């Protein structure tokens, strides 16, 4: 969308990107897509490749993020994947590319969750994006109010099944 990339988690590993990257169509590669489902930003500037290779869920740093975004021609990434108690945060402040972390699950009043779920601590958020004629993107995060989705008229999980009439024949 414009120069914004929406992903589940983050960016591919350095080694895989170096091996498989040709152009944007490379993002259709199964391994690159899988890695973009499981990577998470780190507070470090750079994560060595041997550390990235140790786990399917691996970290990436600011330098790696900036390089990836420049390579694909994007200036903003919106990701989910990690439980963020505030529901919305940014990573790599001051970077030429923005990384927005959005978490929309959870909530104290979300009846879809078990009562003892740690996801009840989350303030679930969504966001609205407006792109100006000059290409600037304005992001406005907003609270998801799950209370109305607890209503059986809006959520079939809470609706009682219809009574079934049994006839003796």
């Amino acid at each position: 969308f414009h120069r914004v990339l929406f992903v589940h988690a983050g960016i591919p590993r350095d080694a895989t990107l170096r091996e498989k990257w040709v152009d944007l169509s490379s993002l259709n590669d199964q391994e690159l897509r899988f890695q973009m489902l499981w990577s998470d930003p780190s507070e470090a500037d750079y994560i060595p490749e041997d550390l990235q290779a140790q786990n399917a869920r691996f970290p990436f740093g600011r330098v790696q993020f900036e390089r990836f975004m420049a390579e694909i021609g994007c200036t903003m990434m919106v990701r989910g994947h990690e439980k963020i108690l505030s529901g919305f945060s940014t990573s790599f402040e001051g970077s030429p590319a923005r990384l927005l972390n959005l978490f929309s699950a959870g909530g104290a009043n979300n009846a879809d969750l078990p009562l003892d779920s740690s996801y009840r601590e989350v303030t679930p958020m969504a966001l609205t994006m407006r792109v100006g004629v000059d290409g600037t993107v304005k992001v406005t995060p907003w609270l998801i109010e799950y209370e109305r989705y607890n209503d059986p008229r809006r959520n079939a999980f809470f609706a009682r099944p219809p009574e079934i009439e049994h006839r003796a024949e």
Side-chain angles (χ1 to χ4, degrees), residues 69-88:
M69 295 297 281
E71 185 69 44
I72 66 171
C74 286
T75 57
M76 183 182 296
M77 178 184 283
V78 179
R79 67 180 294 273
H81 184 59
E82 283 183 286
K83 180 169 91 172
I84 298 172
L85 294 182
S86 66
F88 178 80

Side-chain angles (χ1 to χ4, degrees), residues 31-166:
E31 189 174 2
L32 288 173
R33 284 195 329 251
F34 179 80
Q35 291 176 11
M36 291 174 76
L37 289 172
W38 294 105
S39 61
D40 296 313
S42 167
E43 291 184 18
D45 283 340
Y46 181 81
I47 304 297
E49 288 186 33
D50 60 326
L51 289 179
Q52 284 190 335
Q54 289 180 7
N55 198 319
R57 186 172 183 172
F58 63 93
F60 60 90
R62 180 189 53 79
V63 170
Q64 289 144 317
F65 173 71
E66 289 173 0
R67 185 174 45 225
F68 177 76
M69 295 297 281
E71 185 69 44
I72 66 171
C74 286
T75 57
M76 183 182 296
M77 178 184 283
V78 179
R79 67 180 294 273
H81 184 59
E82 283 183 286
K83 180 169 91 172
I84 298 172
L85 294 182
S86 66
F88 178 80
S89 70
T90 59
S91 297
F92 309 134
E93 289 297 324
S95 174
R98 294 175 66 191
L99 178 57
L100 309 180
N101 305 286
L102 183 68
F103 200 75
S104 58
N109 298 317
N110 184 343
D112 283 336
L113 296 170
L115 291 175
D116 61 347
S117 172
S118 68
Y119 284 86
R120 289 192 174 278
E121 301 169 15
V122 174
T123 300
M125 299 291 276
L127 59 83
T128 300
M129 300 179 80
R130 293 191 191 337
V131 179
V133 228
D134 61 352
T136 57
V137 179
K138 181 181 179 192
V139 176
T140 308
W142 49 273
L143 176 67
I144 299 174
E145 297 173 342
Y146 275 108
E147 291 85 352
R148 67 186 190 146
Y149 298 105
N150 296 332
D151 183 335
R153 293 172 296 175
R154 291 194 169 97
N155 187 335
F157 287 114
F158 300 117
R160 290 185 54 189
E163 296 294 326
I164 299 174
E165 198 175 305
H166 293 284

